[in-house]
Amino acid sequence: MGQTAMSPAEFEQALRAKGAYYHIHHPFHQAMYAGTCSREQIQGWVANRFYYQLNIPLKDAAIMANCPDRDTRREWLQRILDHDGKQGDEGGIEAWLRLGEAVGLQREQILSQELVLPGVRFAVDAYVNFARRASWQEAASSSLTELFAPQIHQSRLDSWPAHYPWIEADGYAYFRSRLTQARRDVEHGLRITLAHYNTYAAQQRMLEILQFKLDVLWSMLDAMSMAYELNRAPYHSVTSERVWHRGIAP
């Protein structure tokens, strides 16, 4: 006999319990909140995280491409607009570029992706490829790490201005905008998830998918920790040059 599915309330609680593994608990993040990161470490995080921000609309476009439901596509479209922007609102990618400038990076350097570490690139690419191959419900549900996102954005807004006064205040616009956007996205993602996963096996599958997304975020910080905390960037034992690839042209 198969095991009994969790009730919607129990399932939501199981999803929220995954917050124990959110990257807010990673030592690199903890150092950022404690104010112990160097300027180079903050800049490295911003430059690498930009690759993730740049790929969010690609992930969301993949979900929409696989989704036959027009109402869902209409609602999901807002996520792409949030990041790519529209007339009168330049969007989250532009806001992140301004964050990069606020921490002392050159816009051209961020856009070149020369600082994006291989481990970060591989983790983000794995996430986008999952969204392209998975069912639209599975890919949509993988975004539910947003359950924990408002806390992480608020933590940055609370701690960074005091610890890093050299960061220009205009750079915090992205974090402020995501406080409300992430909550809205969570409501939509939860509706899809709680409606779709209604058997024990399906619910366990969804918990694995959410763990995969948590793995992606944690692995990104592992790569940054190696490079910026332990001074073990890729190929550090043979060269100090950034010899890793910047993306393979088609």
Side-chain angles (χ1 to χ4, degrees), residues 22-94:
Y22 193 46
H23 63 166
I24 196 171
H25 303 296
H26 193 284
F28 196 99
H29 259 305
Q30 293 293 308
M32 285 196 291
Y33 303 139
T36 59
C37 280
S38 67
R39 185 184 296 255
E40 180 189 18
Q41 288 168 342
I42 294 291
Q43 290 176 342
W45 178 79
V46 171
N48 276 271
R49 180 76 182 192
F50 176 72
Y51 187 67
Y52 179 82
Q53 305 303 134
L54 200 62
N55 276 275
I56 289 175
L58 302 184
K59 175 267 297 182
D60 288 325
I63 293 170
M64 290 180 63
N66 291 331
C67 178
D69 183 70
R70 182 175 62 171
D71 290 338
T72 299
R73 292 197 306 269
R74 283 174 169 173
E75 194 164 355
W76 205 270
L77 177 62
Q78 185 59 49
R79 297 174 185 243
I80 296 178
L81 297 176
D82 286 344
H83 284 83
D84 278 345
K86 57 186 177 181
Q87 187 173 2
D89 179 4
E90 294 182 315
I93 291 174
E94 175 61 27

Side-chain angles (χ1 to χ4, degrees), residues 13-25 145 147-148 151 210-211 214 218:
Q13 182 56 42
L15 293 169
R16 292 185 181 277
K18 285 289 188 180
Y21 309 107
Y22 193 46
H23 63 166
I24 196 171
H25 303 296
T145 47
L147 283 165
F148 325 117
Q151 178 187 2
L210 186 55
Q211 186 61 57
L214 292 164
W218 197 276

